[in-house]
């Protein structure tokens, strides 16, 4: 489509910086955009996790009208009335008030903002892979600089590990494996959830001419338990190996909070674990002891108190409190 002075671009997604904000977990942070050119409206998917559909057909770009049924993912039906005010606006680019959105209380009060896991930071990220004193934002003139404070798991901007760099509202910031941006960091919430969502985006895997996994789409939300069921040879293990980054798909991608796992692999180290079919646990240990020793091996920069707290949280979340002192190799584990 040729650009013209009459063209308006309206973005759609979950984040507040979009023109049309949709608070639905199946809708991506930046899901799609409407290009309004005179009397023609074109809908364009911008790499969403769950796809954009017009009258049941998955599209990348399509001219639409109010008579079409538009769905973001297969579940969320778009209300055309949300677009009408933008269609009626005078010609030209429709501004997103991203700079205004960043003028929050914390930005107005501070030129240096500390980020970490402990409560004494200005911004607290609740994720065990975030260091106690992980990073800081510092304002110089009209620019913000993000500095890593020798954290265990690094600070990344657009997939690149940094020590100190200028950051803009359009940059993707990853702290301890948690994808963020300036808008989220500058919100008036002191604590930021470190929850992780993982999605398989049309994953396909081939070995020569043999198709092993065929165009799989799957989204797992924070806190969900999902079972993969299928006969031997159906491709379950191959799908799992693609979703944890061990092997790359022939087509498609794996997205962690809407960011590609394969292009940002270093950013997400430690956020994904894989338990093979065979036992890798020590039968002579109790359940809580196994968790605790695993934590000491993998969370070397955390205190025993922090590891114990994390173990307690996991046992409670998984409903394993009653098995805390059960010997793993005992008959009780099979009950």
């Amino acid at each position: 489509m040729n650009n013209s002075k009459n063209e308006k671009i309206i973005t759609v997604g979950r984040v507040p910086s979009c023109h049309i904000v949709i608070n639905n977990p199946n809708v991506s942070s930046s899901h799609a955009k409407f290009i309004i050119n005179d009397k023609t409206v074109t809908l364009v998917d911008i790499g969403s996790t769950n796809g954009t559909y017009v009258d049941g057909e998955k599209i990348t770009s399509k001219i639409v009208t109010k008579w079409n049924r538009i769905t973001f993912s297969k579940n969320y039906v778009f209300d055309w009335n949300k677009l009408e005010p933008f269609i009626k606006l005078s010609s030209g680019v429709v501004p997103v008030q991203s700079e205004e959105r960043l003028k929050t209380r914390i930005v107005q009060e501070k030129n240096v903002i500390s980020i970490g896991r402990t409560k004494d930071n200005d911004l607290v990220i609740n994720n065990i892979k975030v260091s106690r004193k992980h990073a800081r934002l510092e304002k110089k003139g009209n620019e913000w600089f993000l500095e890593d404070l020798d954290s265990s798991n690094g600070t990344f901007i657009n997939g690149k590990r940094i020590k100190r760099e200028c950051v803009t509202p359009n940059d993707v910031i990853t702290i301890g494996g948690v994808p963020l941006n300036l808008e989220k960091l500058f919100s008036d919430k002191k604590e930021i959830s470190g929850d992780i969502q993982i999605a398989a985006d049309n994953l396909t895997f081939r070995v020569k001419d043999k198709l092993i996994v065929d165009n799989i789409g799957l989204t797992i939300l924070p806190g969900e338990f999902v079972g993969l069921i299928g006969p031997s040879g159906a491709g379950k293990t191959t799908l799992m190996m693609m979703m944890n980054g061990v092997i790359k798909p022939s087509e498609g991608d794996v997205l962690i909070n809407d960011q590609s796992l394969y292009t940002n692999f270093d950013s997400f180290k430690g956020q994904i674990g894989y338990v093979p079919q065979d036992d890798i646990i020590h039968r002579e240990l109790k359940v809580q002891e196994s968790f605790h020793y695993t934590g000491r091996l993998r969370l070397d920069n955390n205190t025993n108190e922090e590891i114990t707290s994390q173990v307690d949280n996991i046992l409670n979340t998984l409903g394993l409190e009653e098995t805390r002192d059960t010997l793993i190799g005992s008959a009780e584990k099979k009950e």
Side-chain angles (χ1 to χ4, degrees):
M1 175 181 292
N2 295 327
N3 291 330
S4 79
K5 294 181 180 179
N6 295 327
E7 184 178 283
K8 291 175 287 189
I9 297 176
I10 310 301
T11 55
V12 182
R14 276 200 332 271
V15 296
S17 56
C18 289
H19 296 98
I20 299 175
V21 179
I22 299 174
N23 186 20
N24 185 293
N26 294 309
V27 176
S28 294
S29 298
S30 296
H31 196 107
K33 61 183 177 182
F34 290 99
I35 301 175
I36 304 169
N37 199 334
D38 295 326
K39 296 183 179 180
T40 302
V41 178
T42 302
L43 175 60
V44 180
D45 183 270
I46 50 178
S48 67
T49 301
N50 296 312
T52 300
Y53 296 80
V54 176
D55 297 331
E57 175 189 359
K58 190 174 185 179
I59 61 100
T60 54
S61 177
K62 189 178 181 67
I63 294 175
V64 293
T65 71
K66 65 179 180 180
W67 306 114
N68 292 115
R69 186 176 189 270
I70 298 169
T71 56
F72 298 121
S73 80
K74 290 186 176 180
N75 300 317
Y76 183 87
V77 180
F78 178 69
D79 182 0
W80 186 269
N81 289 325
K82 292 182 178 181
L83 186 63
E84 286 288 357
F86 297 101
I87 296 176
K88 295 174 181 177
L89 284 176
S90 58
S91 301
V93 177
V94 182
V96 178
Q97 301 298 323
S98 57
E99 292 301 324
E100 288 300 317
R101 292 175 188 276
L102 297 183
K103 294 178 181 178
T104 54
R105 177 188 53 79
I106 190 171
V107 177
Q108 293 170 353
E109 292 178 357
K110 292 179 175 288
N111 287 324
V112 177
I113 300 171
S114 61
I115 304 169
R117 196 177 70 248
T118 55
K119 302 292 185 181
D120 56 342
N121 288 283
D122 296 312
L123 294 173
V124 178
I125 302 178
N126 292 315
N127 189 293
I128 195 66
K129 303 301 288 186
V130 175
S131 297
R132 297 182 192 87
K133 302 291 184 182
H134 196 107
R136 68 169 164 238
L137 281 162
E138 184 177 6
K139 190 175 184 180
K140 293 288 186 181
N142 293 322
E143 295 182 319
W144 284 93
F145 288 82
L146 180 65
E147 180 180 0
D148 183 81
L149 301 178
D150 296 321
S151 64
S152 300
N153 296 297
T155 301
F156 297 78
I157 296 178
N158 300 325
K160 175 187 173 184
R161 188 164 187 163
I162 61 102
K163 177 58 181 175
R164 177 183 169 90
E165 280 196 21
C166 181
V167 62
T168 72
N170 295 323
D171 289 323
V172 176
I173 301 166
T174 308
I175 295 178
V178 181
L180 304 160
N181 55 29
L182 279 183
E183 186 170 328
K184 192 163 187 178
L185 289 173
F186 286 168
S187 70
D188 279 329
K189 294 180 180 178
K190 178 177 171 63
E191 296 193 14
I192 296 173
S193 170
D195 289 340
I196 295 295
Q197 171 182 307
I198 184 169
D201 185 17
N202 300 324
L203 288 181
T204 297
F205 189 79
R206 296 184 181 88
V207 177
K208 295 183 179 180
D209 294 331
K210 186 175 181 180
L211 186 63
I212 309 297
V213 175
D214 184 14
N215 197 31
I216 295 295
L218 171 69
T219 299
I220 302 175
L221 300 177
E224 282 191 333
F225 288 82
V226 177
L228 296 177
I229 302 174
S232 179
K236 301 184 299 297
T237 300
T238 303
L239 176 60
M240 290 287 291
M241 298 297 256
M242 287 190 288
M243 292 189 70
N244 64 41
V246 174
I247 59 175
K248 289 187 176 181
S250 304
E251 298 172 20
D253 203 350
V254 173
L255 304 174
I256 308 292
N257 286 13
D258 297 329
Q259 303 300 314
S260 170
L261 169 62
Y262 304 115
T263 57
N264 300 281
F265 192 78
D266 287 342
S267 302
F268 298 122
K269 280 183 178 178
Q271 290 291 1
I272 303 174
Y274 176 69
V275 181
Q277 184 172 342
D278 297 323
D279 282 349
I280 57 169
I281 51 181
H282 299 283
R283 295 177 179 274
E284 62 273 18
L285 295 178
K286 296 178 181 179
V287 171
Q288 63 90 12
E289 289 175 331
S290 179
F291 277 115
H292 190 82
Y293 283 118
T294 300
R296 290 181 62 183
L297 286 170
R298 295 182 179 274
L299 305 173
D300 54 333
N301 288 312
N302 292 264
T303 65
N304 274 332
E305 290 76 14
E306 289 176 315
I307 292 173
T308 299
S309 176
Q310 187 72 4
V311 170
D312 290 342
N313 181 54
I314 291 172
L315 290 172
N316 182 61
T317 300
L318 298 178
L320 295 177
E321 278 290 346
E322 293 183 0
T323 67
R324 169 185 292 272
D325 295 318
T326 299
L327 194 65
I328 292 173
S330 69
E332 293 177 66
K333 77 164 191 170
K334 297 182 180 179
E335 293 180 358

